Amino acid sequence: MGIRATAVVCLALVAAGCASAEGTSVTSTAERFLSAAGEGRGGQACLLLAPEAARSLDDCEKQIVSIGLRAGAVRGVDVWGDEARVRVDGDTLFLHQFPDGWRVRAAGCEPRPDQSHTGQPYECEVQT
């Protein structure tokens, strides 16, 4: 019985480590994206967008800078498989994990006060 309990604890620790590593990777991508956009490095910010999100902007490098995104303290990270949400001071970002890493699918997101007519809980400046 002791070996089984040890195996279960080891598996739980490994799973927690994976979740923690994913959260760290998601946070890093979100911080790099917000930093680049906020500091006027539109090209670098656009490289961190999901392809559909980048294509949704007519001139990604200029528009991503003009939105007014700024880096802030990370307030929460939620990871659900290959989808994630990062909440920072004044912003919420949504990310997707692609084969080459995490990319931002939506940014400049604010909760909608009344979503009953749209079914969408957030309104975003950039989205897929």
Side-chain angles (χ1 to χ4, degrees), residues 1 5 7 10 15 21 28 36 47 55 61 71 78 88 90 103 110 122:
M1 190 69 159
C10 288
S28 173
L47 290 174
R55 284 193 297 271
E61 291 185 27
D78 302 299
V88 298
R103 300 279 187 97
E110 293 186 15
Y122 287 88

Side-chain angles (χ1 to χ4, degrees), residues 1-10:
M1 190 69 159
I3 293 175
R4 283 188 187 165
T6 301
V8 169
V9 169
C10 288

Side-chain angles (χ1 to χ4, degrees), residues 51-127:
E52 298 88 12
R55 284 193 297 271
S56 75
L57 302 172
D58 292 331
D59 184 345
C60 186
E61 291 185 27
K62 288 183 182 176
Q63 282 187 282
I64 202 69
V65 171
S66 70
I67 292 171
L69 302 171
R70 301 280 181 256
V74 174
R75 299 294 179 197
V77 177
D78 302 299
V79 179
W80 308 278
D82 60 359
E83 300 293 329
R85 176 180 62 184
V86 177
R87 294 181 315 275
V88 298
D89 287 334
D91 200 354
T92 300
L93 293 90
F94 293 90
L95 293 88
H96 179 80
Q97 187 174 31
F98 290 87
D100 63 342
W102 289 94
R103 300 279 187 97
V104 177
R105 291 183 55 222
C109 301
E110 293 186 15
R112 290 181 193 242
D114 179 17
Q115 60 177 313
S116 60
H117 66 282
T118 64
Q120 300 294 320
Y122 287 88
E123 184 170 342
C124 303
E125 294 286 332
V126 178
Q127 63 187 12

Side-chain angles (χ1 to χ4, degrees), residues 34-54:
L34 290 171
S35 176
E39 294 172 6
R41 294 179 280 121
Q44 290 177 348
C46 289
L47 290 174
L48 294 169
L49 285 173
E52 298 88 12

